[in-house]
Amino acid sequence: MFESLLQLKEIRERFDYWVRDSHCLNPVNKSVFYFFRSTEKLPRNRLINWLIQFYNLLMAKFSLYFTNVLANFCSVDDLKIIHTIDNGYNFISNATQIVKKTDAVCLAIVMDRENCNENFYGFGYNRLKDRFTPGPPTEPRKGLAALCPVVFRLPSPAEGHKSAQSHNDVFEKYQPHIYAFIQSNLRYPAKNKYIYDAERDHCMFGDIVEAKLYIVVVYAGRVCEKDATMLTFIQQMTTSLRGSRLFLSLKNAAK
């Protein structure tokens, strides 16, 4: 986790050094957050501008995917600062707003690890046997914690450490049903991305984000399968996280 952030920082510093002396720069106001945003000049070259946008997307995804991991080590105020590493994509704030607006009981981005053979110790930093760190080594996770680990969830421990346990309980209550939804529907593009469980009286919307990551939103009770607000949110969220528009702009520029 931390190593990934340092690598992104190094890439950005090298990139800034590469374009610093370029003669094709447009002056802009310098950002206070030098690490996360562009420096005082932006290049006119469209490819360089695209690379800057791609970097900003990676940082925004880092902020989303690791916010729950960092919640175990940071204060609430620190997490609020981390959430500013969004570079205009607003992944976290959009997810928070949709949960509040629609009264969804749970929103989660989870990983499908059914076909993964290696042990899983959890996202973030872990004490392993081959590392010189104090304390007992972390034990591999078992069951659903290994098959369907959560990357990001709402309600989130970022909202306050005292309520973190109750927030965990909300996700864990629905985790088996989320994984069953992935197994039965979301793995297959032709199948419905909505399901209603009449026996348990809850419904779920979902879609694949990228690779083995899925986003699922859970409601208590039944919500219309064609609910425009939720369908639009999931489409915009997945499209942005995949970088679909960004890569399309690169393709169109090459024509």
Side-chain angles (χ1 to χ4, degrees):
M1 176 186 65
F2 184 64
E3 291 85 352
S4 299
L5 182 59
L6 290 179
Q7 287 178 3
L8 284 175
K9 181 177 183 295
E10 182 181 357
I11 290 171
R12 181 53 187 263
E13 288 176 345
R14 291 188 179 186
F15 183 74
D16 285 340
Y17 177 79
W18 179 47
V19 301
R20 183 179 59 188
D21 297 326
S22 174
H23 297 291
C24 55
L25 299 177
N26 282 328
V28 296
N29 293 330
K30 186 173 182 179
S31 170
V32 176
F33 299 101
Y34 168 80
F35 177 82
F36 304 120
R37 301 186 185 278
S38 58
T39 54
E40 58 185 359
K41 292 184 178 181
L42 287 177
R44 294 176 183 173
N45 184 287
R46 287 188 294 177
L47 177 58
I48 296 177
N49 270 316
W50 185 91
L51 290 171
I52 292 174
Q53 294 177 52
F54 182 59
Y55 171 87
N56 289 338
L57 173 61
L58 292 179
M59 290 305 301
K61 290 172 69 170
F62 178 91
S63 180
L64 174 69
Y65 289 164
F66 288 100
T67 184
N68 287 167
V69 171
L70 294 172
N72 298 318
F73 307 98
C74 301
S75 68
V76 176
D77 291 336
D78 289 336
L79 282 170
K80 290 179 180 178
I81 296 175
I82 293 170
H83 291 177
T84 65
I85 315 173
D86 222 348
N87 290 317
Y89 286 93
N90 303 318
F91 291 134
I92 297 172
S93 60
N94 288 344
T96 303
Q97 288 301 317
I98 199 70
V99 169
K100 291 180 179 179
K101 180 179 179 180
T102 63
D103 294 324
V105 295
C106 179
L107 181 152
I109 296 177
V110 298
M111 177 177 284
D112 180 11
R113 298 190 68 258
E114 182 174 354
N115 297 321
C116 298
N117 297 321
E118 65 274 12
N119 288 331
F120 179 71
Y121 296 88
F123 299 110
Y125 177 80
N126 297 285
R127 293 187 176 94
L128 304 181
K129 291 182 179 179
D130 57 350
R131 289 187 177 180
F132 295 95
T133 51
T138 304
E139 294 295 327
R141 297 193 179 186
K142 305 294 183 182
L144 278 177
L147 288 173
C148 184
V150 61
V151 176
F152 174 81
R153 70 179 186 273
L154 292 173
S156 166
E159 298 173 12
H161 293 290
K162 292 182 179 179
S163 57
Q165 183 58 47
S166 62
H167 291 166
N168 284 335
D169 293 342
V170 171
F171 171 73
E172 290 172 358
K173 174 183 177 181
Y174 292 101
Q175 190 176 14
H177 311 300
I178 290 173
Y179 189 51
F181 182 37
I182 292 172
Q183 288 179 303
S184 63
N185 290 57
L186 298 186
R187 287 179 183 170
Y188 310 100
K191 289 201 172 184
N192 201 337
K193 295 178 174 59
Y194 168 90
I195 192 170
Y196 172 67
D197 188 327
E199 180 181 352
R200 298 177 178 85
D201 192 28
H202 67 239
C203 66
M204 289 181 282
F205 295 83
D207 201 355
I208 186 170
V209 177
E210 53 186 341
K212 297 180 180 295
L213 294 182
Y214 296 86
I215 183 171
V216 177
V217 182
V218 184
Y219 286 89
R222 188 166 193 168
V223 176
C224 177
E225 178 180 352
K226 297 182 179 180
D227 183 83
T229 300
M230 183 50 58
L231 294 178
T232 300
F233 164 75
I234 290 180
Q235 181 183 27
Q236 291 178 346
M237 192 77 162
T238 54
T239 299
S240 297
L241 285 169
R242 294 171 194 153
S244 301
R245 294 177 182 174
L246 190 59
F247 286 105
L248 182 61
S249 68
L250 181 65
K251 179 180 179 181
N252 291 336
K255 292 181 179 179

